[in-house]
Amino acid sequence: APAPPAPAAAAGPAAAPPPEAGEVVFSSPTDGETQVSPGSPVRVQFSRGLDPASLADRIRVAYAGVGQTPGPPEPLAFTFSYDAATRAIEIRLTRPPESFRTVQVEILEGIRTFDGAPVQPWTFTFAVGG
């Protein structure tokens, strides 16, 4: 005689999938770009909308590759604004960076999307022209 069919597992309510993580999809200047104008704004665009409150203290801009001085890179003062329509942060350095220096921009851990998902940390560098 054939075995009776196994009882189907009771299907409970499906758990909602966690919100999709956000990530950087575009930057201007691009990573590794050279001859960037010192007055150019820096734009970083994300795959999803951000929670603007999560941005404070989670963006770092500094000179990179400073061979003469040991220790962490020299920080640069900046302001930033977030445009929800384009899902982009625009960073403006308080003073134009020095010519022929490499600038490193870091998007640090802790930034969240509008629905609470984490945004992947991301770093890029560009070289300032003369």
Side-chain angles (χ1 to χ4, degrees):
E20 182 184 336
E23 61 186 8
V24 172
V25 294
F26 173 80
S27 72
S28 174
T30 57
D31 187 28
E33 189 170 334
T34 60
Q35 298 297 316
V36 175
S37 168
S40 296
V42 175
R43 289 188 69 240
V44 181
Q45 187 173 19
F46 296 85
S47 61
R48 305 189 64 227
L50 303 181
D51 171 6
S54 73
L55 295 170
D57 301 322
R58 294 196 174 97
I59 301 169
R60 186 180 300 147
V61 182
Y63 285 127
V66 183
Q68 302 84 339
T69 57
E74 181 183 341
L76 294 168
F78 65 93
T79 60
F80 73 88
S81 58
Y82 173 63
D83 181 353
T86 60
R87 301 183 315 270
I89 297 169
E90 182 172 287
I91 299 167
R92 289 200 171 270
L93 297 174
T94 305
R95 290 197 332 256
E98 296 171 25
S99 296
F100 310 113
R101 296 288 299 267
T102 298
V103 175
Q104 177 175 295
V105 179
E106 292 178 275
I107 304 301
L108 304 173
E109 195 167 346
I111 295 176
R112 301 245 167 241
T113 61
F114 68 93
D115 56 1
V119 171
Q120 300 297 319
W122 197 71
T123 301
F124 69 103
T125 60
F126 62 90
V128 179

